[in-house]
Amino acid sequence: FRLLGQRINVMSILAVLVLGSGLVGERWISPGLFLITLVVMAGIVSFPGRYQLTSSGVSPNRASFRPWTDFVGWEASGNVVFLRAAGRFGSLRLYVPSGERESVEKVLKRQLKAKR
């Protein structure tokens, strides 16, 4: 699920690596740096993502916290829970394993009254 959340970053890194590896044009990334970057990126993506849902809000990672008042509603489809914000860029996608989806929905129903 972390790979889904970081897909834009992963694709950007891979694009820079492909361009710098000499496949197109001149080589400006050494093969060692190419390999180290792939290994580090795979290591970072392999750690599981954890969300913390509290009575005050949601913490999608260790560095940020969003209060429930930032969101106006939510939707769930498959393993993706979409928290809709009033602004265009304030929305948040949570990738939840199917075994934990019911408990997440229970918290969201309690905290965010409007669904869809």
Side-chain angles (χ1 to χ4, degrees), residues 37-95:
T37 305
L38 285 180
V39 170
V40 168
M41 185 176 59
I44 289 172
V45 171
S46 67
F47 286 110
R50 297 180 187 206
Y51 308 117
Q52 186 173 11
L53 304 173
T54 67
S55 60
S56 333
V58 60
S59 177
N61 53 44
R62 296 171 125 185
S64 64
F65 180 82
R66 303 277 306 275
W68 293 120
T69 55
D70 284 359
F71 305 108
V72 294
W74 63 280
E75 297 176 19
S77 175
N79 289 345
V80 180
V81 175
F82 183 70
L83 299 175
R84 198 171 351 108
R88 181 176 177 189
F89 296 108
S91 298
L92 183 65
R93 288 183 195 270
L94 304 177
Y95 297 95

Side-chain angles (χ1 to χ4, degrees), residues 5-27:
Q6 297 294 325
R7 65 183 174 270
I8 300 295
N9 296 332
V10 169
M11 288 190 293
S12 300
I13 291 170
L14 290 176
V16 169
L17 287 176
V18 167
L19 290 174
S21 68
L23 186 63
V24 179
E26 196 174 316
R27 176 184 293 210

Side-chain angles (χ1 to χ4, degrees), residues 88-108:
R88 181 176 177 189
F89 296 108
S91 298
L92 183 65
R93 288 183 195 270
L94 304 177
Y95 297 95
V96 181
S98 57
E100 297 177 12
R101 181 178 165 180
E102 287 183 25
S103 59
V104 169
E105 284 184 1
K106 202 182 297 184
V107 171
L108 292 177

